[in-house]
């Protein structure tokens, strides 16, 4: 079975620009999570989708971040406009309903300069 | 506010040494504890999901124990090898079921040949 796939693996953008990250979860996984790790700090939760619905978005830092999951399949996370403090590794994870296993993607390393 | 603490922050050992590190978590409302192994630019790899007090799990030379009453888990690596070099993360679900994880900052292990 294919794992969780994230695109791009790296992105370097200037402050003020827009970036869109994509996550393709494991097929059939209803739960999709976005996390972020800023250098030197812990991985922090951003958002949880169940199918196409936002179950919990309490971790989204501000309204410059917009996540979507159209059709309950892949998800995108858009940062607009990007700020320097948005730099970090953005992880996506997916899981099946009623199970405790979370499978992570390899992350997108975002650098805002 | 859920808080997961890991110690030490980093560790350097010689090849062949055995080592262990600690994860501390809230002992009230315990649901599960996850251990992950993460190498930079790769996906965090699930090692163990621990749910019962007194649980001991083993995968190759890596093992983990769990004490839910006092709120800690130990991860042990017997006979460390250079390929064990990675960041070891523990994480605690916010609630029961498929809910977001709260991560510790990790323990960065370097095994020197």
């Amino acid at each position: 079975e294919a794992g969780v796939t994230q695109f791009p693996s790296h992105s370097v953008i200037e402050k003020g620009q827009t970036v869109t990250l994509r996550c393709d979860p494991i097929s059939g996984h209803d739960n999709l999570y976005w996390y972020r790790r800023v250098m030197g700090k812990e991985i922090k939760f951003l958002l949880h989708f169940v199918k196409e619905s936002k179950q919990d978005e309490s971790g989204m830092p501000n309204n410059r971040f917009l996540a979507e999951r159209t059709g309950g399949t892949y998800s995108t996370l858009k940062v607009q406009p990007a700020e320097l403090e948005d730099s970090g590794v953005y992880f996506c994870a997916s899981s099946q309903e009623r199970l405790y296993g979370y499978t992570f993607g390899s992350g997108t390393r975002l650098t805002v300069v | 506010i859920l808080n997961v603490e890991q110690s030490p922050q980093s560790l350097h050992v010689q090849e062949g040494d055995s080592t262990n590190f600690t994860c501390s978590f809230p002992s009230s409302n315990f649901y599960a504890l996850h251990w992950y192994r993460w190498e930079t630019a790769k996906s965090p790899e699930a090692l163990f999901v621990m749910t019962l007090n007194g649980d001991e799990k083993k995968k190759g030379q890596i093992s983990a124990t769990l004490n839910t009453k006092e709120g800690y888990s130990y991860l042990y690596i017997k006979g460390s090898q250079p390929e064990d070099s990675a960041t070891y993360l523990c994480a605690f679900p916010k609630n029961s079921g498929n809910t977001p994880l709260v991560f510790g900052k990790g323990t960065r292990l370097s095994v020197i040949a």
Side-chain angles (χ1 to χ4, degrees):
Chain A
E1 133 183 293
V4 175
T5 310
Q6 293 188 244
F7 306 98
S9 58
H10 293 82
S11 180
V12 181
I13 61 170
E14 291 184 352
K15 178 182 167 179
Q17 288 187 320
T18 297
V19 63
T20 300
L21 315 180
R22 173 170 167 148
C23 169
D24 286 71
I26 291 175
S27 178
H29 280 195
D30 289 336
N31 293 277
L32 186 149
Y33 309 83
W34 283 99
Y35 293 87
R36 175 174 74 175
R37 187 177 192 252
V38 171
M39 190 179 292
K41 301 209 170 172
E42 66 272 25
I43 296 174
K44 280 199 170 174
F45 164 72
L46 297 176
L47 177 86
H48 173 202
F49 283 101
V50 177
K51 296 184 181 177
E52 66 275 9
S53 299
K54 291 176 186 174
Q55 181 78 12
D56 182 351
E57 51 186 325
S58 60
M60 294 289 261
N62 51 59
N63 59 11
R64 294 186 294 103
F65 288 75
L66 175 65
E68 294 179 324
R69 191 181 182 195
T70 308
T73 54
Y74 70 90
S75 174
T76 57
L77 179 66
K78 186 194 298 191
V79 185
Q80 180 183 29
E83 298 289 344
L84 299 177
E85 64 264 25
D86 300 332
S87 296
V89 181
Y90 289 77
F91 288 104
C92 174
S94 72
S95 68
Q96 277 185 298
E97 188 62 38
R98 301 185 190 283
L99 295 177
Y100 277 105
Y102 301 78
T103 303
F104 280 79
S106 55
T108 294
R109 182 173 294 277
L110 174 65
T111 304
V112 183
V113 297
Chain B
I1 296 176
L2 292 176
N3 208 28
V4 179
E5 300 285 342
Q6 289 189 250
S7 62
Q9 189 175 354
S10 65
L11 198 53
H12 292 78
V13 302
Q14 294 288 329
E15 182 177 358
D17 285 353
S18 294
T19 187
N20 65 84
F21 13 98
T22 307
C23 172
S24 302
F25 52 86
S27 55
S28 57
N29 298 320
F30 176 82
Y31 302 107
L33 189 83
H34 297 246
W35 279 101
Y36 286 88
R37 178 180 179 281
W38 178 48
E39 290 181 72
T40 305
K42 295 187 178 179
S43 310
E45 172 199 353
L47 290 174
F48 307 113
V49 181
M50 309 183 79
T51 55
L52 296 175
N53 185 43
D55 245 357
E56 273 192 48
K57 296 215 172 180
K58 191 173 158 107
K59 184 175 183 178
Q61 297 299 98
I62 304 177
S63 60
T65 60
L66 178 69
N67 183 324
T68 60
K69 293 183 179 177
E70 294 181 42
Y72 65 83
S73 175
Y74 292 138
L75 190 82
Y76 300 91
I77 302 179
K78 185 179 173 185
S80 306
Q81 299 297 309
E83 53 267 30
D84 293 324
S85 298
T87 298
Y88 291 83
L89 301 162
C90 73
F92 186 84
K94 286 170 76 171
N95 291 298
S96 62
N98 279 295
T99 62
L101 296 174
V102 178
F103 280 86
K105 288 186 181 179
T107 293
R108 186 174 178 84
L109 174 67
S110 298
V111 182
I112 304 158

